[in-house]
Amino acid sequence: MAEKKPSIHDIARIAGVGVGTVSRVLNSQPNVADATRERVERVMAELDYRPTFAARHIRTGRSQLFGFVTDQVLTTPFAHDLIRGAQARARQADHMLMVIDADGDDRVREQAVTNLLERGVEGIVYAAMFNHGVHLPAALREVPTVLVDCYEVARDLPSVVPDEALGGREATERLLQDGHVRIAMITNDALSTGYPAAVERFEGYCQALEAHGVTFDEALVREGLGSADSGYRHTRDLLDLELPPTGFFFGTDRMAMGAYFAFAERGLRVPHDVSVVGFDDQHYIADALRPALTTMALPHAAMGRWAVEHLLTASWGEGRPPVQHQLVCPLVERGSVGPVPAEPGRKG
Amino acid sequence: MAEKKPSIHDIARIAGVGVGTVSRVLNSQPNVADATRERVERVMAELDYRPTFAARHIRTGRSQLFGFVTDQVLTTPFAHDLIRGAQARARQADHMLMVIDADGDDRVREQAVTNLLERGVEGIVYAAMFNHGVHLPAALREVPTVLVDCYEVARDLPSVVPDEALGGREATERLLQDGHVRIAMITNDALSTGYPAAVERFEGYCQALEAHGVTFDEALVREGLGSADSGYRHTRDLLDLELPPTGFFFGTDRMAMGAYFAFAERGLRVPHDVSVVGFDDQHYIADALRPALTTMALPHAAMGRWAVEHLLTASWGEGRPPVQHQLVCPLVERGSVGPVPAEPGRKG
DNA sequence: AGTTCCACTGGAATCGGTTCCACACGCGCC
DNA sequence: GGCGCGTGTGGAACCGATTCCAGTGGAACT
């Protein structure tokens, strides 16, 4: 029964041709007579022949394989888009992806890179999240590498990240556009961390205010932690202000979710009484809220695609400084932004 | 500069030994003199030598590679645990995982399996979700295969799924335990689909009621769709009953989330006025709700681990019917279940 | 001293492909 | 008839590892 897999030599022998000819058929090269090609193909189909990739790899030196190291991002629903984008682009170029989750463990990360190099990957995508600085294993330098949603602190590796500032600006402008002026911003992390995901979204907020001639009010800015609970608490605080904000811009959808509960407690309706814009487009949350949440989408699929594209097409090893690419975060309009309510306390 | 990678022959030549000796050192085999071993290792370190895995693969016939095909599960946060569990077990056995997302597309799925077979995988894990029946590409039969959270309709492939019935039963018992008698169950899908994830959770619910001598009330059972919106609507409906339920068991956490909004609308507090148990343990949701949601966890990490374990240790090709394994869903106690409230309308 | 045994070693054969070189054959041209 | 050329083909060499067999030298035993 379980006879071993046929090799190219078996095919050649049975079809009565040389191995070279079989190889030519396999690779759809010209200079094979139609009759011969057909005969070889028939034999291959007959025996259920499948070429062994490793053999090709060893001879040609091309593995047609990229490593995809995820760090914390796999814990999130974002991973899907990231991997899908990367995989789709890789497939177009007949490459495969080898995904390893480093899970924040240095030893595992190191090991992962070593394993990938032994497997002969032609490039590595290193995907993290929160657009933060990282220090990568030195071994990564042996092979083209692209960073996704993070960057090497030395800026000596190409990276692709969301345009956080532009996203922050557009989110704020969406609220301004509907007449909101008292707009709160709850950052997704302490600004002191220096994470672009926190700092630049906030800067975008400031830019938007300035561009529209709205004076910045420090009381409306809170440093959140990203969690639903954090959103809930800061929202309660903000609602306790003498002149509470009418528009809320949260650095994460999770905080916006927490805010919905704070609004419900106070009997405030979205978007009738308060307007909300989130960030991240975690659709499990954003779609599920009532009303659904208007938010800025992180371009994960695009980043994944871009990373592989760059591995495939960039000229490596040259002197110029590596690209630090930014991709726009599209506004996803749902139902949480509306016009500024008439202010009951200000009638007279 | 970019001289090509050293091979085992280079190492042998430079260290002044035969290739066989280098190979023995590489594989930490005995019968190598300490001095020789040391010299070879020094040369390898010197040249930054890394063995080419493909060459080993071709010679030994062992790829030390498993395929991991995900179908829809990658869209969810569950993917992380699944891949982590599988990867952890694989790493222990010096195997790697090649993850491909089929994304519900038959052509991609077919292609994925072909590619994996060409890469010489020693087994394939096929992971879907919702514990439903699937028809798999015939090519899968060429290599050991384990199904996760789904099953081949012919039951001719081993699979591992959550014990949905037991989960449904324990969820219901958790409510019974706190004195609830009018317990609603909102299924996560139409029962007519026949999906075990829907049908068996419901059966578990029935079993629990019966075991505790509580009469089944058809009016308290609703066929939901899994979405937050669906949970919201059914909850409103149920609250409109003359004798509304005090306990709610939702087939998904997302529906439970929708329910929270329905409760908020009616001014009902969890768990003071109503108690809720979810299913899935989507912690982004379950942790974020206020109060956090008590729910049944899907054992994704364990399923991933079990699948790889089975690939590694099961005896394949033998006659006995393939294992259909079930893993328990642990109850994750948070804060959404409390004692039955006194019934205001029933005082007299 | 001769035999046996063991630790250690070198290198040829091998895995399944690709690549390249040599060559056969038919055809048209001078 | 000799030459050149293009098409189609076979097969040796090669890629980088493992495996196995033969062989060396020294220690231990008879």
Side-chain angles (χ1 to χ4, degrees), chain B residues 269-326:
Chain B
R269 282 170 306 160
V270 180
H272 185 266
D273 303 312
V274 286
S275 288
V276 184
V277 177
F279 212 113
D280 287 354
D281 193 28
Q282 293 217 22
H283 69 272
Y284 266 60
I285 291 175
D287 267 340
L289 289 172
R290 309 190 53 83
L293 180 67
T294 293
T295 188
M296 307 303 298
L298 290 171
H300 279 102
M303 291 195 293
R305 199 157 35 236
W306 190 92
V308 171
E309 178 75 32
H310 196 68
L311 283 181
L312 285 166
T313 60
S315 65
W316 296 89
E318 282 322 302
R320 64 198 127 178
V323 186
Q324 310 286 311
H325 195 65
Q326 292 195 315

Side-chain angles (χ1 to χ4, degrees), chain A residues 50-55 57-58 63-65 74-77 80 83-84 87 91 96-101 103 108 114-115 117-119 139 142 228-229 232 254 257 260-261 282 284 288-290, chain B residues 50-55 57-58 63-65 74-77 80 83-84 87 91 96-101 103 108 114-115 117-119 139 142 228-229 232 254 257 260-261 282 284 288-290:
Chain A
R50 233 184 273 281
T52 300
F53 201 93
H57 171 186
I58 201 181
S63 64
Q64 292 174 227
L65 188 65
L74 199 60
T75 55
T76 71
H80 176 242
I83 295 181
R84 252 215 318 182
Q87 202 177 75
R91 186 165 37 234
M96 293 194 75
L97 244 45
M98 192 145 207
V99 181
I100 305 191
D101 184 36
D103 203 33
V108 174
T114 302
N115 285 335
L117 290 174
E118 288 188 359
R119 299 274 178 172
E142 294 183 24
D229 194 58
Y232 171 78
R254 280 146 71 214
M257 174 177 172
Y260 269 55
F261 286 102
Q282 294 216 22
Y284 266 59
L289 290 171
R290 307 191 53 82
Chain B
R50 232 184 273 282
T52 299
F53 201 92
H57 170 185
I58 203 182
S63 63
Q64 291 173 229
L65 187 64
L74 200 60
T75 55
T76 70
H80 176 243
I83 296 180
R84 254 219 313 186
Q87 199 176 77
R91 186 166 36 237
M96 293 195 75
L97 243 46
M98 191 143 207
V99 181
I100 304 191
D101 183 35
D103 203 33
V108 174
T114 302
N115 284 335
L117 290 174
E118 287 188 2
R119 299 273 177 175
E142 293 183 26
D229 194 57
Y232 171 77
R254 279 145 73 215
M257 173 177 173
Y260 269 56
F261 286 103
Q282 293 217 22
Y284 266 60
L289 289 172
R290 309 190 53 83

Side-chain angles (χ1 to χ4, degrees), chain A residues 256-334:
Chain A
M257 174 177 172
Y260 269 55
F261 286 102
F263 295 142
E265 267 183 21
R266 305 288 175 106
L268 295 171
R269 282 171 306 160
V270 180
H272 185 267
D273 303 313
V274 286
S275 287
V276 183
V277 178
F279 212 112
D280 285 354
D281 191 29
Q282 294 216 22
H283 69 272
Y284 266 59
I285 291 175
D287 267 340
L289 290 171
R290 307 191 53 82
L293 181 67
T294 294
T295 187
M296 308 303 299
L298 291 170
H300 279 102
M303 291 195 292
R305 201 158 33 238
W306 191 93
V308 171
E309 178 74 32
H310 196 69
L311 284 181
L312 285 166
T313 60
S315 65
W316 296 88
E318 282 320 302
R320 64 197 125 176
V323 185
Q324 309 285 311
H325 195 66
Q326 293 195 317
L327 288 173
V328 303
C329 302
L331 172 70
V332 180
E333 190 79 61
R334 290 195 180 89

Side-chain angles (χ1 to χ4, degrees), chain B residues 166 168-183 203-216:
Chain B
L166 186 59
R169 177 167 181 157
E170 288 196 357
T172 310
E173 277 174 345
R174 178 63 190 82
L175 290 165
L176 288 162
Q177 178 189 316
D178 255 340
H180 296 269
V181 177
R182 289 200 307 284
I183 300 174
E203 286 170 4
Y205 164 80
C206 296
Q207 285 167 22
L209 293 184
E210 190 173 343
H212 289 251
V214 174
T215 25
F216 175 81

